[in-house]
């Protein structure tokens, strides 16, 4: 009888420990799954680094479609034709903040990609290599043509994008 009580106590203790370990394991696995679903995907603009690197207030002031204002003479090196079209989106195809600059006359892409940095009138775009065909005027891409690092500023009726002193003015496309 004493032996049965002793055995029953140990079985009860073992059962309680098993339930406790099982519950702890289930809660841990559940919290890990929640953490995975709450973590932003690398392509998402919600990643911590991109939230830190993109001033959302500044981004909102630039959103929209713009058309380049022709400047200079076709004979000059820094001539900018009026067919460049600029598109800035807050969340394009779930890629987050996005910028596209393309030739609206022929439909050929210039360059486009996710905005990686936007602060203090500087914007950095990670260029989509499959869609890269060129840049206006005497601009060039940086880092083996992987990034476009440009100055950006808002004007009353548009945006000014610049690369090392060479600027292109864009008016809002209505």
């Amino acid at each position: 009888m004493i032996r049965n009580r002793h055995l029953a106590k140990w079985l009860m203790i073992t059962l309680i420990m098993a339930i406790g370990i099982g519950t702890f394991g289930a809660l841990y696995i559940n919290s890990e799954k929640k953490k995975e679903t709450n973590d932003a995907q690398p392509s998402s603009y919600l990643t911590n680094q991109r939230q830190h690197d993109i001033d959302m207030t500044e981004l909102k002031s630039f959103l929209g479609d713009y058309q380049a204002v022709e400047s200079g003479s076709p004979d000059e090196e820094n001539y900018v034709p009026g067919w460049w079209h600029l598109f800035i989106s807050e969340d394009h195809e779930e890629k987050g903040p996005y910028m596209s600059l393309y030739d609206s006359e022929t439909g050929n892409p210039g360059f486009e990609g996710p905005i990686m940095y936007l602060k203090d009138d500087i914007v950095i775009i990670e260029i989509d290599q499959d869609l890269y065909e060129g840049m206006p005027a005497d601009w060039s891409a940086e880092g083996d043509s992987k990034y476009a690092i440009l100055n950006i500023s808002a004007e009353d009726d548009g945006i000014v994008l610049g690369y090392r002193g060479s600027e292109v003015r864009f008016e809002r496309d209505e």
Side-chain angles (χ1 to χ4, degrees), residues 118-133:
L118 176 62
K119 279 188 176 179
D120 304 323
D121 296 335
I122 295 175
V123 63
I124 300 175
I125 298 95
E126 182 179 13
I127 297 172
D128 183 337
Q129 296 299 305
D130 295 333
L131 301 174
Y132 179 72
E133 291 210 7

Side-chain angles (χ1 to χ4, degrees), residues 40-54 56 59-60 89-98 114-116:
Q41 301 300 316
S43 63
S44 169
Y45 73 99
L46 298 175
T47 61
N48 287 337
Q49 187 61 42
R50 286 186 72 195
Q51 278 185 359
H52 177 73
D53 289 343
I54 296 175
M56 296 304 277
L59 174 67
K60 286 185 191 287
S89 171
E90 185 174 15
D91 189 17
H92 179 68
E93 296 177 357
E94 298 181 10
K95 295 179 182 177
Y98 200 81
I115 297 172
M116 303 308 292

Side-chain angles (χ1 to χ4, degrees), residues 71-72 76-81 84 101 135-140 149-153 159-170:
S71 66
E76 296 175 358
E77 182 180 318
N78 60 353
Y79 169 67
V80 177
W84 286 102
L101 186 64
M135 297 181 148
D138 53 348
W139 296 8
S140 64
I149 302 172
L150 307 171
N151 297 329
I152 186 169
S153 60
I159 292 177
V160 176
L161 277 179
Y163 176 77
R164 298 186 181 186
S166 174
E167 294 182 339
V168 178
R169 295 191 186 313
F170 292 90

Side-chain angles (χ1 to χ4, degrees), residues 23-82:
T23 303
F24 176 77
L27 290 173
Y28 179 77
I29 290 171
N30 190 30
S31 71
E32 287 298 311
K33 285 183 181 177
K34 280 185 181 177
K35 195 185 307 182
E36 285 175 11
T37 59
N38 289 339
D39 286 347
Q41 301 300 316
S43 63
S44 169
Y45 73 99
L46 298 175
T47 61
N48 287 337
Q49 187 61 42
R50 286 186 72 195
Q51 278 185 359
H52 177 73
D53 289 343
I54 296 175
D55 181 344
M56 296 304 277
T57 305
E58 194 170 350
L59 174 67
K60 286 185 191 287
S61 70
F62 297 129
L63 297 178
D65 287 290
Y66 301 87
Q67 195 65 39
V69 176
E70 186 170 358
S71 66
S73 167
D75 301 337
E76 296 175 358
E77 182 180 318
N78 60 353
Y79 169 67
V80 177

Side-chain angles (χ1 to χ4, degrees), residues 100-112:
S100 169
L101 186 64
Y102 64 92
D103 181 344
S104 63
E105 190 169 278
T106 63
N108 293 334
F111 69 93
E112 64 182 81

